[in-house]
Amino acid sequence: MPEVRRPVAFVILGLLCGQFLVLGLIQASRDSVAVDEAVDLTAGLVAVADHDVRMAPEHALFHKVLPGLLPVLVADPIIPRTAAYEDGDWFDYTDDLIRANDEAGRLDDVVFWFRVVPLLLGAATGLLVYALGRDS
């Protein structure tokens, strides 16, 4: 197998990462909220905005909090204080939060920014795999 020169490999890697991010951002802006994504979105927003991690307790904390940072910083989500929030009933509270942001016209922005962090992590993983493979 012929050896690929390092500058050529960097260009190819950059093009692949760019393609991954562009296609991912297009899909992130067009897809509706998936059922399990809504629960993670709610748990992440509440964890970041209120420092409250009791929503979706069986899901990993890192998986909720990291993607929740950008929507809280950029999209200004509505985090309603309903009875489900007070009780920690995260299934019903997910519905409350999604409905409140949808009615305010913010849901699309909140969901888009929630999806950006996993895309960045995916691209970073590709770069890490390349770096590990290059040195072996």
Side-chain angles (χ1 to χ4, degrees):
M1 179 177 231
E3 186 174 324
V4 177
R5 295 180 184 217
R6 191 166 286 202
V8 173
F10 285 142
V11 169
I12 292 170
L13 181 64
L15 290 172
L16 289 173
C17 282
Q19 178 187 21
F20 173 79
L21 289 172
V22 167
L23 292 175
L25 290 171
I26 289 169
Q27 284 303 116
S29 68
R30 293 182 180 173
D31 285 349
S32 61
V33 181
V35 173
D36 57 341
E37 186 180 34
V39 172
D40 290 334
L41 171 69
T42 300
L45 294 179
V46 171
V48 172
D50 293 346
H51 308 285
D52 184 349
V53 294
R54 60 194 168 110
M55 301 293 171
E58 79 262 359
H59 296 185
L61 183 62
F62 180 78
H63 176 71
K64 297 183 286 192
V65 173
L66 196 58
L69 289 172
L70 279 179
V72 169
L73 295 173
V74 177
D76 193 29
I78 296 171
I79 302 177
R81 303 296 191 262
T82 63
Y85 175 86
E86 298 301 326
D87 295 340
D89 183 355
W90 48 282
F91 277 120
D92 287 343
Y93 185 66
T94 295
D95 294 339
D96 295 343
L97 186 134
I98 296 296
R99 188 178 309 107
N101 282 281
D102 189 33
E103 290 171 356
R106 297 182 188 178
L107 184 60
D108 290 339
D109 288 340
V110 170
V111 171
F112 173 79
W113 288 108
F114 185 76
R115 292 173 174 164
V116 168
V117 172
L119 284 171
L120 294 174
L121 289 173
T125 301
L127 295 172
L128 179 63
V129 168
Y130 169 79
L132 291 172
R134 182 192 69 208
D135 291 338
S136 61

